[in-house]
Amino acid sequence: MFAVVMAMAHMAMGAEAQNTTMAPNSNATMSNVTMAPNVTMTPNVTTAPVTALTVNISMAECKKSQLCAAKPPDCDPAVAGSCFFVSIKKSLGQIFFFQLRGVSSGYIAVGLSKTSTQGQNDTTYVCANSNRKVKFFTALLDKGVLTINNKLHVESVNGSVNNQIIQCTFSATVPNATDTRSIDTSFYLSISNGTFNSVTDTLGSPQAILNSDKAVDLADPNTTVLNSLNSAPSAFCLSQALLILIGVLGMMLL
Ligand SMILES: *[C@@H]1O[C@H](CO)[C@@H](O)[C@H](O)[C@H]1NC(C)=O
Ligand SMILES: *[C@@H]1O[C@H](CO)[C@@H](O)[C@H](O)[C@H]1NC(C)=O
Ligand SMILES: *[C@@H]1O[C@H](CO)[C@@H](O)[C@H](O)[C@H]1NC(C)=O
Ligand SMILES: *[C@@H]1O[C@H](CO)[C@@H](O)[C@H](O)[C@H]1NC(C)=O
Ligand SMILES: *[C@@H]1O[C@H](CO)[C@@H](O)[C@H](O)[C@H]1NC(C)=O
Ligand SMILES: *[C@@H]1O[C@H](CO)[C@@H](O)[C@H](O)[C@H]1NC(C)=O
Ligand SMILES: *[C@@H]1O[C@H](CO)[C@@H](O)[C@H](O)[C@H]1NC(C)=O
Ligand SMILES: *[C@@H]1O[C@H](CO)[C@@H](O)[C@H](O)[C@H]1NC(C)=O
Ligand SMILES: *[C@@H]1O[C@H](CO)[C@@H](O)[C@H](O)[C@H]1NC(C)=O
Ligand SMILES: *[C@@H]1O[C@H](CO)[C@@H](O)[C@H](O)[C@H]1NC(C)=O
Ligand SMILES: *[C@@H]1O[C@H](CO)[C@@H](O)[C@H](O)[C@H]1NC(C)=O
Protein backbone atom coordinates (compact mmCIF):
# COMPACT_ATOMS: atom_id res chain seq x y z
CA MET A 1 0.00 0.00 0.00
CA PHE A 2 2.74 2.40 1.01
CA ALA A 3 4.72 1.44 -2.06
CA VAL A 4 1.74 2.18 -4.30
CA VAL A 5 1.26 5.62 -2.73
CA MET A 6 4.98 6.30 -3.12
CA ALA A 7 4.91 5.19 -6.75
CA MET A 8 1.92 7.41 -7.50
CA ALA A 9 3.55 10.34 -5.79
CA HIS A 10 6.68 9.69 -7.75
CA MET A 11 4.76 9.59 -11.01
CA ALA A 12 2.99 12.81 -10.17
CA MET A 13 6.29 14.47 -9.33
CA GLY A 14 7.78 13.12 -12.53
CA ALA A 15 4.97 14.57 -14.58
CA GLU A 16 5.21 17.83 -12.71
CA ALA A 17 8.93 17.96 -13.20
CA GLN A 18 8.43 17.37 -16.90
CA ASN A 19 6.03 20.28 -17.17
CA THR A 20 8.29 22.43 -15.01
CA THR A 21 11.27 21.96 -17.28
CA MET A 22 9.09 22.93 -20.25
CA ALA A 23 7.85 26.05 -18.48
CA PRO A 24 9.43 29.28 -19.68
CA ASN A 25 10.01 30.60 -16.16
CA SER A 26 12.90 28.20 -15.63
CA ASN A 27 15.17 30.19 -17.87
CA ALA A 28 18.42 28.42 -16.99
CA THR A 29 17.27 25.10 -18.41
CA MET A 30 15.45 26.77 -21.26
CA SER A 31 18.47 28.63 -22.52
CA ASN A 32 20.59 25.51 -22.42
CA VAL A 33 17.94 23.53 -24.27
CA THR A 34 17.66 26.03 -27.08
CA MET A 35 21.41 26.42 -27.25
CA ALA A 36 21.90 22.69 -27.90
CA PRO A 37 23.69 22.35 -31.25
CA ASN A 38 21.27 19.61 -32.10
CA VAL A 39 18.37 22.03 -32.16
CA THR A 40 19.95 25.05 -33.78
CA MET A 41 21.69 23.13 -36.56
CA THR A 42 18.57 21.35 -37.78
CA PRO A 43 16.83 23.42 -40.47
CA ASN A 44 13.65 24.82 -38.95
CA VAL A 45 11.32 23.26 -41.44
CA THR A 46 9.30 20.15 -40.80
CA THR A 47 9.06 18.16 -43.99
CA ALA A 48 7.06 15.13 -45.01
CA PRO A 49 8.97 11.87 -44.49
CA VAL A 50 10.35 10.48 -47.74
CA THR A 51 10.82 6.77 -48.44
CA ALA A 52 13.15 5.50 -51.15
CA LEU A 53 11.57 5.14 -54.58
CA THR A 54 12.71 1.77 -55.87
CA VAL A 55 11.46 2.00 -59.44
CA ASN A 56 11.72 4.46 -62.30
CA ILE A 57 8.64 6.54 -63.03
CA SER A 58 6.99 5.22 -66.17
CA MET A 59 4.73 6.62 -68.86
CA ALA A 60 2.81 3.34 -69.23
CA GLU A 61 -0.40 4.71 -67.69
CA CYS A 62 -0.41 7.99 -69.62
CA LYS A 63 -3.79 8.64 -71.24
CA LYS A 64 -5.13 5.52 -69.54
CA SER A 65 -5.40 6.26 -65.85
CA GLN A 66 -3.28 9.38 -65.60
CA LEU A 67 -2.75 12.77 -67.15
CA CYS A 68 0.82 13.30 -68.34
CA ALA A 69 2.92 16.28 -69.33
CA ALA A 70 6.55 16.27 -70.43
CA LYS A 71 9.37 18.24 -71.91
CA PRO A 72 10.44 17.29 -74.53
CA PRO A 73 6.89 16.18 -75.41
CA ASP A 74 6.32 12.46 -74.84
CA CYS A 75 9.86 11.83 -73.56
CA ASP A 76 10.24 8.60 -71.60
CA PRO A 77 10.99 9.28 -67.91
CA ALA A 78 12.21 5.70 -67.38
CA VAL A 79 15.34 6.07 -69.46
CA ALA A 80 18.39 8.22 -68.81
CA GLY A 81 18.52 11.71 -70.24
CA SER A 82 16.94 15.11 -69.98
CA CYS A 83 13.25 14.41 -69.61
CA PHE A 84 10.99 16.46 -67.38
CA PHE A 85 7.80 14.55 -66.68
CA VAL A 86 4.77 14.82 -64.46
CA SER A 87 1.79 12.53 -64.22
CA ILE A 88 -1.36 13.15 -62.21
CA LYS A 89 -4.01 10.61 -61.34
CA LYS A 90 -7.21 11.39 -59.53
CA SER A 91 -7.74 9.43 -56.36
CA LEU A 92 -10.54 10.16 -53.90
CA GLY A 93 -12.13 13.60 -53.64
CA GLN A 94 -9.44 16.27 -53.79
CA ILE A 95 -6.62 13.74 -53.49
CA PHE A 96 -4.38 13.31 -56.52
CA PHE A 97 -1.40 10.99 -57.01
CA PHE A 98 1.58 12.76 -58.57
CA GLN A 99 4.72 11.41 -60.20
CA LEU A 100 7.43 13.97 -60.91
CA ARG A 101 10.74 13.43 -62.68
CA GLY A 102 13.31 15.90 -63.90
CA VAL A 103 16.89 17.02 -64.10
CA SER A 104 18.40 19.44 -61.60
CA SER A 105 21.34 19.92 -59.30
CA GLY A 106 18.88 21.41 -56.81
CA TYR A 107 15.16 20.85 -56.98
CA ILE A 108 12.34 20.09 -59.39
CA ALA A 109 8.79 21.29 -58.79
CA VAL A 110 5.27 20.99 -60.11
CA GLY A 111 2.95 23.96 -59.81
CA LEU A 112 -0.81 24.35 -60.06
CA SER A 113 -2.29 27.71 -60.89
CA LYS A 114 -5.89 28.82 -61.24
CA THR A 115 -4.88 31.66 -63.53
CA SER A 116 -2.88 31.89 -66.73
CA THR A 117 -0.65 34.36 -64.95
CA GLN A 118 1.36 31.86 -62.99
CA GLY A 119 3.03 32.78 -59.75
CA GLN A 120 0.25 34.32 -57.68
CA ASN A 121 0.57 32.14 -54.62
CA ASP A 122 0.32 29.02 -56.72
CA THR A 123 0.30 25.63 -55.04
CA THR A 124 3.75 24.12 -55.62
CA TYR A 125 5.17 20.71 -54.72
CA VAL A 126 8.95 20.57 -54.52
CA CYS A 127 11.35 17.62 -54.57
CA ALA A 128 14.88 18.67 -53.69
CA ASN A 129 18.22 16.89 -53.81
CA SER A 130 19.43 17.02 -50.22
CA ASN A 131 22.71 15.09 -50.10
CA ARG A 132 21.49 12.61 -52.72
CA LYS A 133 18.20 12.02 -50.94
CA VAL A 134 14.88 13.63 -51.78
CA LYS A 135 13.59 16.26 -49.41
CA PHE A 136 9.97 17.20 -50.01
CA PHE A 137 8.39 20.62 -49.54
CA THR A 138 5.14 22.28 -50.30
CA ALA A 139 5.45 25.92 -51.23
CA LEU A 140 3.68 28.93 -52.64
CA LEU A 141 4.99 30.60 -55.74
CA ASP A 142 4.41 34.34 -55.60
CA LYS A 143 6.01 36.71 -58.11
CA GLY A 144 8.81 34.32 -59.00
CA VAL A 145 9.68 33.52 -55.40
CA LEU A 146 9.05 30.10 -53.89
CA THR A 147 8.25 30.27 -50.20
CA ILE A 148 8.19 26.99 -48.34
CA ASN A 149 5.10 26.65 -46.20
CA ASN A 150 4.71 22.88 -45.78
CA LYS A 151 1.06 23.49 -45.02
CA LEU A 152 -0.41 21.60 -47.94
CA HIS A 153 -1.56 18.11 -47.11
CA VAL A 154 0.66 15.44 -48.65
CA GLU A 155 1.11 11.75 -47.94
CA SER A 156 3.16 8.74 -49.04
CA VAL A 157 6.17 10.53 -50.43
CA ASN A 158 8.74 8.36 -52.21
CA GLY A 159 11.82 9.78 -53.87
CA SER A 160 15.17 9.02 -55.46
CA VAL A 161 18.16 10.99 -56.66
CA ASN A 162 20.48 9.60 -59.32
CA ASN A 163 23.13 12.14 -60.24
CA GLN A 164 20.96 15.04 -61.43
CA ILE A 165 17.87 12.94 -62.06
CA ILE A 166 15.33 13.55 -59.31
CA GLN A 167 12.19 11.45 -59.08
CA CYS A 168 9.38 11.60 -56.55
CA THR A 169 5.86 10.34 -56.10
CA PHE A 170 3.26 11.55 -53.62
CA SER A 171 -0.43 11.86 -52.86
CA ALA A 172 -1.61 15.41 -52.33
CA THR A 173 -4.87 16.96 -51.29
CA VAL A 174 -4.99 19.72 -53.88
CA PRO A 175 -6.42 22.97 -52.47
CA ASN A 176 -9.56 24.19 -54.20
CA ALA A 177 -9.90 21.05 -56.33
CA THR A 178 -13.43 20.18 -55.31
CA ASP A 179 -14.57 17.42 -57.61
CA THR A 180 -18.05 18.63 -58.48
CA ARG A 181 -17.25 20.21 -61.82
CA SER A 182 -14.32 19.78 -64.22
CA ILE A 183 -13.63 23.51 -64.00
CA ASP A 184 -12.85 22.98 -60.33
CA THR A 185 -10.23 20.33 -61.03
CA SER A 186 -8.69 22.38 -63.84
CA PHE A 187 -5.37 24.11 -63.32
CA TYR A 188 -2.58 25.63 -65.33
CA LEU A 189 0.18 23.09 -64.85
CA SER A 190 3.88 23.90 -64.64
CA ILE A 191 7.19 22.15 -64.15
CA SER A 192 10.23 24.06 -62.99
CA ASN A 193 13.66 23.54 -61.49
CA GLY A 194 16.15 25.56 -59.49
CA THR A 195 18.97 25.55 -57.01
CA PHE A 196 18.66 24.26 -53.46
CA ASN A 197 20.73 25.07 -50.40
CA SER A 198 20.46 21.98 -48.21
CA VAL A 199 22.03 23.71 -45.20
CA THR A 200 19.47 26.49 -44.95
CA ASP A 201 16.66 24.70 -46.79
CA THR A 202 16.26 27.55 -49.24
CA LEU A 203 15.02 27.29 -52.79
CA GLY A 204 16.50 29.38 -55.59
CA SER A 205 14.12 31.12 -57.96
CA PRO A 206 12.40 28.63 -60.25
CA GLN A 207 13.28 28.27 -63.91
CA ALA A 208 10.16 27.38 -65.89
CA ILE A 209 10.53 24.20 -67.93
CA LEU A 210 6.90 23.67 -68.89
CA ASN A 211 3.80 25.84 -68.64
CA SER A 212 0.57 24.38 -69.93
CA ASP A 213 -1.03 26.48 -72.66
CA LYS A 214 -4.41 26.22 -70.95
CA ALA A 215 -6.03 25.07 -67.73
CA VAL A 216 -6.09 21.28 -67.85
CA ASP A 217 -8.50 19.04 -66.00
CA LEU A 218 -6.37 16.99 -63.61
CA ALA A 219 -9.13 14.42 -63.37
CA ASP A 220 -9.12 13.70 -67.13
CA PRO A 221 -6.30 11.34 -68.20
CA ASN A 222 -7.01 12.02 -71.86
CA THR A 223 -6.01 15.68 -71.72
CA THR A 224 -3.11 16.60 -73.93
CA VAL A 225 -0.87 19.16 -72.27
CA LEU A 226 0.83 21.51 -74.69
CA ASN A 227 3.81 23.48 -73.47
CA SER A 228 3.44 27.21 -74.07
CA LEU A 229 7.19 27.55 -73.54
CA ASN A 230 8.05 25.43 -76.56
CA SER A 231 10.30 27.97 -78.16
CA ALA A 232 12.72 25.25 -79.24
CA PRO A 233 11.40 24.90 -82.82
CA SER A 234 11.66 28.62 -83.60
CA ALA A 235 15.13 28.80 -82.07
CA PHE A 236 16.07 25.84 -84.23
CA CYS A 237 14.67 27.52 -87.34
CA LEU A 238 16.53 30.69 -86.49
CA SER A 239 19.87 28.93 -86.10
CA GLN A 240 19.20 26.98 -89.29
CA ALA A 241 18.40 30.18 -91.16
CA LEU A 242 21.59 31.70 -89.82
CA LEU A 243 23.62 28.71 -90.99
CA ILE A 244 22.11 28.97 -94.47
CA LEU A 245 22.81 32.68 -94.54
CA ILE A 246 26.43 32.10 -93.51
CA GLY A 247 26.66 29.36 -96.12
CA VAL A 248 25.33 31.63 -98.86
CA LEU A 249 27.62 34.45 -97.81
CA GLY A 250 30.55 32.02 -97.81
CA MET A 251 29.74 30.86 -101.31
CA MET A 252 29.40 34.44 -102.53
CA LEU A 253 32.88 35.18 -101.23
CA LEU A 254 34.36 32.25 -103.13
C1 LIG B 1 1.57 19.44 -18.72
O1 LIG B 1 1.26 20.53 -19.59
C2 LIG B 1 0.36 20.17 -20.60
C3 LIG B 1 0.20 21.36 -21.53
O2 LIG B 1 0.40 22.55 -20.85
C4 LIG B 1 -0.96 19.71 -20.01
O3 LIG B 1 -1.83 19.31 -21.06
C5 LIG B 1 -0.70 18.52 -19.11
O4 LIG B 1 -1.91 18.15 -18.47
C6 LIG B 1 0.31 18.89 -18.05
N1 LIG B 1 0.62 17.70 -17.29
C7 LIG B 1 0.65 17.69 -15.97
C8 LIG B 1 0.97 16.41 -15.32
O5 LIG B 1 0.40 18.72 -15.33
C1 LIG C 1 15.88 34.71 -15.89
O1 LIG C 1 17.14 35.33 -16.19
C2 LIG C 1 17.15 36.73 -15.94
C3 LIG C 1 18.47 37.29 -16.44
O2 LIG C 1 19.47 36.32 -16.39
C4 LIG C 1 16.91 36.97 -14.48
O3 LIG C 1 16.90 38.37 -14.23
C5 LIG C 1 15.58 36.37 -14.09
O4 LIG C 1 15.40 36.50 -12.70
C6 LIG C 1 15.52 34.93 -14.43
N1 LIG C 1 14.19 34.43 -14.21
C7 LIG C 1 13.96 33.28 -13.61
C8 LIG C 1 12.53 32.90 -13.47
O5 LIG C 1 14.85 32.57 -13.21
C1 LIG D 1 24.61 25.30 -19.81
O1 LIG D 1 25.38 24.14 -20.09
C2 LIG D 1 26.76 24.37 -19.95
C3 LIG D 1 27.48 23.07 -20.35
O2 LIG D 1 26.71 22.31 -21.20
C4 LIG D 1 27.08 24.74 -18.55
O3 LIG D 1 28.47 25.01 -18.41
C5 LIG D 1 26.32 25.98 -18.17
O4 LIG D 1 26.52 26.29 -16.79
C6 LIG D 1 24.86 25.79 -18.39
N1 LIG D 1 24.18 27.04 -18.18
C7 LIG D 1 23.15 27.16 -17.37
C8 LIG D 1 22.57 28.51 -17.25
O5 LIG D 1 22.68 26.19 -16.80
C1 LIG E 1 19.83 15.20 -30.61
O1 LIG E 1 19.62 15.20 -29.23
C2 LIG E 1 18.93 14.08 -28.78
C3 LIG E 1 18.67 14.22 -27.29
O2 LIG E 1 18.74 15.56 -26.91
C4 LIG E 1 19.75 12.85 -29.08
O3 LIG E 1 19.04 11.69 -28.70
C5 LIG E 1 20.04 12.78 -30.55
O4 LIG E 1 20.91 11.69 -30.83
C6 LIG E 1 20.69 14.03 -31.04
N1 LIG E 1 20.83 13.98 -32.47
C7 LIG E 1 21.92 14.38 -33.09
C8 LIG E 1 21.92 14.29 -34.59
O5 LIG E 1 22.89 14.79 -32.50
C1 LIG F 1 14.26 29.60 -40.12
O1 LIG F 1 14.39 30.47 -39.01
C2 LIG F 1 15.07 31.67 -39.32
C3 LIG F 1 15.26 32.46 -38.05
O2 LIG F 1 14.31 32.16 -37.10
C4 LIG F 1 14.24 32.44 -40.34
O3 LIG F 1 14.92 33.62 -40.69
C5 LIG F 1 14.08 31.58 -41.55
O4 LIG F 1 13.23 32.25 -42.48
C6 LIG F 1 13.46 30.26 -41.19
N1 LIG F 1 13.44 29.43 -42.38
C7 LIG F 1 12.33 28.88 -42.84
C8 LIG F 1 12.49 28.08 -44.06
O5 LIG F 1 11.25 29.01 -42.29
C1 LIG G 1 7.25 3.85 -51.37
O1 LIG G 1 7.45 3.79 -49.99
C2 LIG G 1 6.73 2.77 -49.35
C3 LIG G 1 6.98 2.90 -47.87
O2 LIG G 1 6.57 4.14 -47.43
C4 LIG G 1 7.17 1.43 -49.85
O3 LIG G 1 6.40 0.42 -49.24
C5 LIG G 1 6.97 1.38 -51.35
O4 LIG G 1 7.48 0.17 -51.87
C6 LIG G 1 7.66 2.53 -52.02
N1 LIG G 1 7.27 2.54 -53.43
C7 LIG G 1 8.15 2.45 -54.42
C8 LIG G 1 7.56 2.41 -55.78
O5 LIG G 1 9.34 2.41 -54.26
C1 LIG H 1 16.24 3.81 -63.91
O1 LIG H 1 16.76 4.57 -64.98
C2 LIG H 1 18.17 4.71 -64.94
C3 LIG H 1 18.54 5.63 -66.07
O2 LIG H 1 18.03 6.90 -65.81
C4 LIG H 1 18.81 3.36 -65.06
O3 LIG H 1 20.21 3.51 -64.96
C5 LIG H 1 18.31 2.48 -63.92
O4 LIG H 1 18.85 1.19 -64.07
C6 LIG H 1 16.81 2.41 -63.92
N1 LIG H 1 16.38 1.74 -62.71
C7 LIG H 1 15.43 0.82 -62.72
C8 LIG H 1 15.06 0.25 -61.41
O5 LIG H 1 14.87 0.47 -63.75
C1 LIG I 1 17.19 23.06 -64.92
O1 LIG I 1 17.01 22.42 -66.14
C2 LIG I 1 17.70 23.00 -67.21
C3 LIG I 1 17.30 22.30 -68.48
O2 LIG I 1 17.59 20.93 -68.40
C4 LIG I 1 19.21 22.93 -66.95
O3 LIG I 1 19.91 23.59 -67.98
C5 LIG I 1 19.51 23.60 -65.62
O4 LIG I 1 20.87 23.43 -65.31
C6 LIG I 1 18.65 23.00 -64.51
N1 LIG I 1 18.84 23.76 -63.28
C7 LIG I 1 19.51 23.29 -62.25
C8 LIG I 1 19.58 24.16 -61.05
O5 LIG I 1 20.06 22.19 -62.28
C1 LIG J 1 0.38 35.84 -51.57
O1 LIG J 1 0.33 35.59 -50.18
C2 LIG J 1 0.98 36.60 -49.42
C3 LIG J 1 0.96 36.19 -47.97
O2 LIG J 1 -0.18 35.45 -47.65
C4 LIG J 1 0.25 37.92 -49.64
O3 LIG J 1 0.92 38.93 -48.94
C5 LIG J 1 0.27 38.25 -51.13
O4 LIG J 1 -0.47 39.42 -51.37
C6 LIG J 1 -0.33 37.12 -51.93
N1 LIG J 1 -0.16 37.40 -53.34
C7 LIG J 1 -1.17 37.27 -54.21
C8 LIG J 1 -0.83 37.61 -55.63
O5 LIG J 1 -2.28 36.89 -53.90
C1 LIG K 1 -8.51 28.80 -52.82
O1 LIG K 1 -9.60 29.65 -53.07
C2 LIG K 1 -9.64 30.74 -52.18
C3 LIG K 1 -10.91 31.51 -52.46
O2 LIG K 1 -11.23 31.47 -53.81
C4 LIG K 1 -8.40 31.60 -52.39
O3 LIG K 1 -8.41 32.68 -51.49
C5 LIG K 1 -7.19 30.77 -52.14
O4 LIG K 1 -6.03 31.52 -52.43
C6 LIG K 1 -7.20 29.54 -53.00
N1 LIG K 1 -6.08 28.69 -52.65
C7 LIG K 1 -5.23 28.24 -53.54
C8 LIG K 1 -4.13 27.41 -53.02
O5 LIG K 1 -5.35 28.46 -54.73
C1 LIG L 1 -9.34 9.72 -75.49
O1 LIG L 1 -9.17 10.43 -76.70
C2 LIG L 1 -9.25 9.63 -77.86
C3 LIG L 1 -9.01 10.49 -79.07
O2 LIG L 1 -8.32 11.66 -78.74
C4 LIG L 1 -10.61 8.98 -77.95
O3 LIG L 1 -10.67 8.10 -79.05
C5 LIG L 1 -10.86 8.16 -76.68
O4 LIG L 1 -12.16 7.66 -76.69
C6 LIG L 1 -10.69 9.04 -75.46
N1 LIG L 1 -10.78 8.22 -74.25
C7 LIG L 1 -11.51 8.59 -73.20
C8 LIG L 1 -11.48 7.67 -72.04
O5 LIG L 1 -12.13 9.64 -73.16
Side-chain angles (χ1 to χ4, degrees), residues 57-64 66-87 101 191 209-210 221-227 230:
I57 288 170
S58 136
M59 63 196 299
E61 283 301 308
C62 292
K63 300 233 174 211
K64 290 175 189 154
Q66 64 195 21
L67 164 83
C68 297
K71 181 181 181 175
D74 300 320
C75 61
D76 187 349
V79 301
S82 178
C83 175
F84 288 83
F85 175 90
V86 67
S87 74
R101 188 265 199 206
I191 304 176
I209 303 289
L210 177 146
N222 226 1
T223 313
T224 299
V225 182
L226 296 176
N227 186 359
N230 263 343

Side-chain angles (χ1 to χ4, degrees), residues 27-29 31-32:
N27 60 8
T29 6
S31 64
N32 262 12

Side-chain angles (χ1 to χ4, degrees), residues 162-234:
N162 184 355
N163 294 320
Q164 299 222 339
I165 295 177
I166 302 174
Q167 301 188 82
C168 59
T169 64
F170 53 94
S171 282
T173 304
V174 174
N176 294 1
T178 47
D179 60 344
T180 43
R181 296 169 303 165
S182 74
I183 188 143
D184 296 325
T185 48
S186 293
F187 292 87
Y188 285 84
L189 190 61
S190 68
I191 304 176
S192 57
N193 72 357
T195 58
F196 176 63
N197 182 329
S198 59
V199 177
T200 57
D201 269 357
T202 41
L203 306 168
S205 57
Q207 178 191 340
I209 303 289
L210 177 146
N211 282 342
S212 68
D213 64 329
K214 60 178 195 296
V216 293
D217 184 0
L218 305 187
D220 176 11
N222 226 1
T223 313
T224 299
V225 182
L226 296 176
N227 186 359
S228 69
L229 300 177
N230 263 343
S231 54
S234 62

Side-chain angles (χ1 to χ4, degrees), residues 7 23 28 36 40 48 79 88 117 136 139 142 164 172 183 200 208 221 231 251:
T40 46
V79 301
I88 304 172
T117 315
F136 186 87
D142 190 25
Q164 299 222 339
I183 188 143
T200 57
S231 54
M251 282 172 71

Side-chain angles (χ1 to χ4, degrees), residues 43-45 137 148 200-202:
N44 50 351
V45 194
F137 304 98
I148 294 169
T200 57
D201 269 357
T202 41

